[in-house]
Amino acid sequence: MPEFRLSRYRLGWWSLGFALAAAVTYVVYAFVGTFVFGVFIYYATRPIYRRLRRVIRPSSLAAAVSLFALALPALLLVLYALGVALNELMKYVTTETFDPSRWPLVDAESLDAIADPATLLALDPEQYLTAEGLRSLLSSLGSALDTVAFLGVGAVHLFVMLALAFYLLRDGGRLSRWTLSRFGDDRGVLEGYARAVDRDFKAIFFGNILNAVLTGSIGVLSYSILNVYAPAGLRVPAAPLVGLLAGIASLVPMVGMKLVYVPVTAYLAGIGLLTDPTALWFVAAFALISFVVVDTIPDLVLRPYVSGRRLHVGSLMIAYTFGPLLFGWYGIFLAPMLLVLVVHFARLVLPELLESEPIQPFAVDPGSLTGDASEESPPPED
């Protein structure tokens, strides 16, 4: 009888544990892209944090300064880009390019009628207050509300990413020590596996930063050369700045540099249609070079080489290629993470499971594991 009560007692706790694990799994699955990108921000910021941690206390302030230091160059570049864009817009506004009377399909009499206050007062507003007009107005308001809701949800996801990176920076060492003390073994299997995974995660995510730098350099060079052959009045505005922004945008999964060169292509096409339609070949050349040279080639060729220092380049290239197709926009980070987890499981744990050999992860490449242990030792906690 006591044994039955004990079993029922443990069964109840196991049931609660599985229910909690299922709830946490569902939350992570629903926001997996947010968590994956938060982990990327953590690994990109950790080298900065570990240097600042030696001179800045408390650790919360060091983590906040590290996140700000990572975002500051991109923020300054975006502000500079907005200034350049505003300057370009004012340049065209002050010229005759935006004179409506010069646009095709615009009637001069219609412009005079619109500009005449007497004509506007003579309009009958009741002709616009129809059921179809009201439906159109409500549809426009609904679209505007959807846009606001989308921006609000995006802001929430960004906050969660930064919060996750912040707490991993501040409490990551404490969390790793607690996990190893609770679930580790006397032979260091879990510790060896965790260190190997952490080492390759750092290489992959730092490789994404390096890929952004290389992509930005390619963009600056490509757009500057393209401007040499640009027709009169149609040039890539601030070509070096556009190239640098393309490099930063490459960190955004899936859409990436399209956030930069698609609006620039639309801008150039609009200027070409208004000024000289025969110069639209330059717009097509800009779009083609942006897609092939600046976007596709670095993403498929450079990224695996700069990220896969210890991993097979072919497998990493496949992960980067099929990750977004399988998982969506966050797949460019999630697929390489899964590759790292699988490779080190097969290298360190699977042989023992198949052949019943002792698991000795430190016997595999002991120099790298020992070096990582000294390099990755967490800073002292407050």
Side-chain angles (χ1 to χ4, degrees):
M1 190 68 177
E3 294 181 359
F4 172 76
R5 289 179 179 177
L6 181 61
S7 300
R8 185 173 59 182
Y9 172 80
R10 295 176 65 87
L11 181 61
W13 281 113
W14 274 112
S15 301
L16 178 60
F18 282 123
L20 293 175
V24 172
T25 302
Y26 173 76
V27 171
V28 174
Y29 172 77
F31 299 97
V32 61
T34 304
F35 284 103
V36 168
F37 205 74
V39 172
F40 162 70
I41 296 175
Y42 160 68
Y43 275 98
T45 315
R46 194 172 68 176
I48 304 173
Y49 170 76
R50 287 186 169 167
R51 284 164 176 79
L52 293 178
R53 185 68 179 83
R54 301 167 185 168
V55 296
I56 297 180
R57 288 183 178 274
S59 56
S60 300
L61 180 59
V65 172
S66 301
L67 291 173
F68 181 74
L70 178 69
L72 183 60
L75 180 62
L76 292 176
L77 193 59
V78 169
L79 291 177
Y80 177 65
L82 291 177
V84 172
L86 182 61
N87 183 56
E88 291 291 324
L89 179 62
M90 294 303 298
K91 182 190 304 183
Y92 284 104
V93 167
T94 54
T95 61
E96 296 181 350
T97 303
F98 282 86
D99 184 3
S101 63
R102 296 169 54 90
W103 296 356
L105 305 179
V106 175
D107 186 275
E109 295 181 359
S110 300
L111 290 176
D112 294 338
I114 294 174
D116 186 6
T119 304
L120 295 178
L121 292 175
L123 293 176
D124 183 12
E126 293 185 358
Q127 63 179 327
Y128 300 102
L129 297 178
T130 61
E132 184 65 28
L134 290 176
R135 279 195 296 268
S136 177
L137 177 62
L138 292 177
S139 176
S140 300
L141 291 176
S143 300
L145 290 176
D146 290 341
T147 302
V148 173
F150 175 78
L151 294 176
V153 171
V156 171
H157 281 272
L158 179 61
F159 171 77
V160 173
M161 293 174 191
L162 295 176
L164 177 62
F166 173 83
Y167 287 110
L168 283 176
L169 288 172
R170 195 188 70 174
D171 303 320
R174 187 182 305 161
L175 176 63
S176 64
R177 287 194 295 271
W178 178 84
T179 303
L180 292 175
S181 65
R182 292 284 183 175
F183 306 104
D185 56 280
D186 55 353
R187 288 180 293 180
V189 177
L190 179 60
E191 183 177 1
Y193 180 75
R195 289 190 185 280
V197 169
D198 179 78
R199 177 193 62 200
D200 280 341
F201 276 5
K202 182 180 68 174
I204 285 176
F205 290 126
F206 179 76
N208 280 278
I209 299 292
L210 184 58
N211 178 76
V213 174
L214 295 176
T215 300
S217 303
I218 294 174
V220 170
L221 185 62
S222 300
Y223 296 147
S224 299
I225 295 175
L226 192 60
N227 265 352
V228 175
Y229 303 97
L234 191 64
R235 294 167 55 86
V236 180
L241 177 62
V242 174
L244 291 176
L245 287 175
I248 292 179
S250 67
L251 296 174
V252 180
M254 200 64 181
V255 290
M257 285 164 279
K258 298 175 183 64
L259 292 172
V260 175
Y261 68 77
V262 169
V264 174
T265 302
Y267 165 79
L268 292 175
I271 297 299
L273 288 173
L274 293 175
T275 56
D276 184 11
T278 61
L280 290 179
W281 66 266
F282 179 77
V283 181
F286 172 81
L288 182 64
I289 290 176
S290 297
F291 179 74
V292 176
V293 178
V294 182
D295 192 348
T296 305
I297 292 179
D299 203 49
L300 294 182
V301 178
L302 285 181
R303 193 188 296 268
Y305 275 101
V306 299
S307 299
R309 299 176 182 178
R310 296 180 177 89
L311 298 173
H312 190 272
V313 175
S315 63
L316 199 57
M317 182 180 296
I318 293 174
Y320 277 122
T321 303
F322 288 101
L325 300 178
L326 293 174
F327 303 109
W329 63 269
Y330 54 85
I332 198 169
F333 296 126
L334 181 58
M337 291 172 65
L338 293 177
L339 175 65
V340 170
L341 294 172
V342 170
V343 165
H344 289 298
F345 182 85
R347 185 173 68 92
L348 299 176
V349 181
L350 190 60
E352 189 275 341
L353 297 178
L354 294 178
E355 302 178 9
S356 299
E357 295 179 356
I359 303 178
Q360 297 179 354
F362 291 106
V364 181
D365 196 8
S368 62
L369 291 177
T370 305
D372 288 342
S374 60
E375 178 187 354
E376 301 297 331
S377 58
E381 300 292 337
D382 290 339

